[in-house]
Amino acid sequence: TGLVTVDPGFMNTASCDSEITYIDGDAGILRYRGYPIEQLAEKSSFLEVAYLLIHGELPTQAEGDAFMERVNRHTLVHEDFRTFMGTFPRNGHPMAVMSSAVNALSTFYPESLDPFDPQTVELATVLILAKTRTITSYLHRSAVGEPLLYPDYSRGYVEDFLRMTFAVPYQQYEPDPTTVAVLDQLLILHADHEQNCSTSTVRMVGSSHANLYASVAAGINALSGPLHGGANEAVLKMLTEIKADGGDASAFMTRVKNKDQGVRLMGFGHRVYKNYDPRAAIVKKSAHAVLEKLGKPDPLLDIAMNLEEIALNDDYFTERKLYPNVDFYTGLIYKALGFSDQMFTPLFALGRMPGWIAQWREMMTDPTTKIGRPRQIYTGAVERNYLPVESR
Ligand code: CMC
């Protein structure tokens, strides 16, 4: 213990070995189980990627169908669970409802809590993937005052999520293929990112042998912060404020560079990527395509592109290697698809679910795992004697 050194933000501390996700931050490379993110984003589907992350291999047709069938079968939530979600105040942030709801799932499925029984863990895995889809639909519908819809087992994961979110009750829902494809892709891009703040939180909580629901709920809370998943909502707020102030991107950038009131260019910078975030490159292309296809030009996209253009040619950003991250353009797409700002981070959480689950499962089956328990360097008072209150 005499050799303990402090590593703020764990910039240089590896907390585990992992076979799940590979990042080369200097080269802008991201791979899930060896597959480049660009290929998965173009060719795969979210559920297939979930299977890949969790089970280590792409599923065969039969394995994929069985997995989808299992997830679909669990998308309906218990009526008491729906009532429970309805008890939160209307104007509370959906991320708080989401983490509470995922935590509360453990009380509805006590048979799925043993972290060391493979069958139980598989059940909890499927339950979480299924229920979080329904929970996320609920978050949107309760915000707009509409009832939660029942799942349609004949539809795919993303298509039925969109139907449950946006369908008008009692009217036939026709999925828009562009919308389904782009959301599928966004969920894939968010599905894992090795030992980031929320994933490390999931592992830390799980290292005490807390169940999967408790661990993932903690991850949702870690994700909610504006330096992490909450950045996608913060970007939209920033763009909206710049527009309201007359749309002057360079005036805002001057404030960022002067660190005026600590203002940051949200959606920029990354602990690991010191080159363009490969996810941001894909999202940027999709943002243009989607806004064009849906016929919804958004002046905020022009402001975002202006900010990026300035940043890529400015010493402040290039010297610090600050490039757009995944959160910079996603909000514009979610907005075009019809989601409110407060739904952006829950959508990130929905996408990250397979990664959290895969990382938790990897940790639980790794014989070298020990409870997470960092040390500290004590800098407080030396020993002193208690003083009665009248002598203080
Ligand atoms: N705008 C302006 N300056 C920045 C930014 C930014 N977005 N990010 C970092 N810097 C500056 C920072 O002020 C510091 O400057 P100096 O050397 O003069 O003190 C330098 O760059 C290094 O920053 P850091 O805060 O030490 O870097 P970090 O690795 O601890 O933080 C980060 C990484 C992502 C938290 C940070 O870049 C940030 O706050 N970005 C904005 C929030 C954001 O977009 N978060 C999403 C991250 S990606 C996906 C996700 O996790 O959700």
Side-chain angles (χ1 to χ4, degrees), residues 11 193 196 223 225-232 235 256-257 259 263-272 274 277 279 316-317 320 322 325-327 348 352:
M11 307 257 299
H193 215 233
N196 54 81
L223 189 75
L227 297 190
H228 193 8
N232 56 15
V235 168
V256 171
K257 290 193 287 178
K259 299 185 176 165
V263 64
R264 285 192 165 197
L265 180 57
M266 299 311 283
F268 257 69
H270 198 275
R271 173 63 60 77
V272 185
K274 299 303 171 194
D277 178 339
R279 302 167 300 173
Y316 176 96
F317 294 92
R320 290 172 178 78
L322 301 171
N325 58 51
V326 70
D327 293 317
F348 189 153
R352 184 54 54 87

Side-chain angles (χ1 to χ4, degrees), residues 41-116:
E42 192 194 326
K43 298 178 179 162
S44 190
S45 69
F46 177 61
L47 262 201
E48 184 174 77
V49 165
Y51 186 98
L52 170 70
L53 287 168
I54 293 166
H55 295 292
E57 295 296 336
L58 286 168
T60 61
Q61 185 71 45
E63 287 166 341
D65 290 350
F67 186 60
M68 180 160 143
E69 201 272 323
R70 284 209 306 282
V71 171
N72 266 350
R73 192 150 30 89
H74 288 292
T75 36
L76 195 63
V77 293
H78 193 289
E79 208 48 25
D80 290 349
F81 188 79
R82 192 186 57 75
T83 308
F84 161 72
M85 290 197 291
T87 60
F88 289 89
R90 259 304 144 69
N91 55 0
H93 198 285
M95 281 298 273
V97 182
M98 191 178 199
S99 68
S100 308
V102 171
N103 201 28
L105 281 174
S106 73
T107 65
F108 284 78
Y109 302 98
E111 71 281 16
S112 65
L113 305 185
D114 182 349
F116 298 108

Side-chain angles (χ1 to χ4, degrees), residues 184-206:
D184 214 338
Q185 185 184 68
L186 286 178
L187 295 178
I188 291 171
L189 294 179
H190 287 91
D192 194 49
H193 215 233
E194 49 117 308
Q195 307 313 318
N196 54 81
C197 175
S198 56
T199 304
S200 298
T201 301
V202 170
R203 279 183 177 258
M204 175 65 92
V205 174

Side-chain angles (χ1 to χ4, degrees), residues 256-305:
V256 171
K257 290 193 287 178
N258 292 337
K259 299 185 176 165
D260 178 6
Q261 295 173 322
V263 64
R264 285 192 165 197
L265 180 57
M266 299 311 283
F268 257 69
H270 198 275
R271 173 63 60 77
V272 185
Y273 292 122
K274 299 303 171 194
N275 193 327
Y276 217 95
D277 178 339
R279 302 167 300 173
I282 299 171
V283 174
K284 184 181 176 184
K285 250 205 251 160
S286 296
H288 283 282
V290 169
L291 297 191
E292 210 167 286
K293 180 86 197 306
L294 298 179
K296 290 186 183 170
D298 190 335
L300 298 185
L301 178 62
D302 297 328
I303 295 176
M305 288 192 323

